[in-house]
Amino acid sequence: MDEKKKIRVLIAKPGLDGHERGARVIAYGLRDLGFEVIYTGLRQTTDQIVTAAIQEDVNVVGLSILSGAHISLTRKVLDQLRERDAGDVMVIIGGIVPEKDHAELSEMGVAGIFTAGSAIKDVAAFIRSKLA
């Protein structure tokens, strides 16, 4: 990735989950660390998220999910990205993600999983290393 070009990250809250504090903290934190961040807001459909990711030409989609629907919502986002020739967009997720689901998420194509308490600098370092 070109060192001068900012990494573009879309932070999204899919589904009916109404808790956005974590998503906002990550969005502001990544912005403060030099990323260009687009936050789509609450209650986004997977189609809205994928459309925004493509329109904004992002490098990364970060899904913040606390509702327990992380498997189905993430699968839909990944499938829709692939269907729209944007399968190269890295997808990471955060929120309430039980350890037992990590392997399945990784197998479906999730690049990274960040649960409550993850340091923003660690998320940033992970993104930078994966896109280097």
Side-chain angles (χ1 to χ4, degrees):
M1 166 149 266
D2 182 354
E3 289 296 315
K4 293 181 175 133
K5 186 177 178 192
K6 281 191 176 185
I7 296 171
R8 294 174 60 84
V9 180
L10 181 128
I11 302 293
K13 292 287 303 174
L16 299 177
D17 180 4
H19 299 90
E20 67 179 339
R21 179 183 292 173
R24 286 180 177 265
V25 167
I26 289 291
Y28 293 136
L30 291 177
R31 183 202 61 199
D32 291 347
L33 291 171
F35 293 79
E36 190 170 333
V37 180
I38 299 98
Y39 175 56
T40 61
L42 289 170
R43 298 181 184 91
Q44 298 292 297
T45 66
T46 56
D47 187 58
Q48 288 171 316
I49 293 166
V50 170
T51 297
I54 292 168
Q55 288 176 345
E56 295 289 346
D57 191 27
V58 299
N59 308 101
V60 181
V61 170
L63 301 175
S64 173
I65 305 172
L66 301 172
S67 66
H70 48 275
I71 299 280
S72 62
L73 290 169
T74 302
R75 180 175 283 118
K76 286 179 184 177
V77 168
L78 288 163
D79 288 347
Q80 290 173 355
L81 284 168
R82 289 180 191 118
E83 288 166 8
R84 295 179 65 183
D85 294 324
D88 60 331
V89 174
M90 182 169 64
V91 175
I92 60 175
I93 68 170
I96 307 295
V97 183
E99 182 76 34
K100 69 179 180 61
D101 294 337
H102 288 206
E104 183 176 352
L105 289 161
S106 294
E107 287 170 17
M108 73 171 71
V110 172
I113 301 165
F114 300 92
T115 56
S118 295
I120 296 168
K121 66 179 178 49
D122 294 339
V123 176
F126 176 86
I127 292 170
R128 286 190 174 113
S129 72
K130 288 288 192 180
L131 294 178

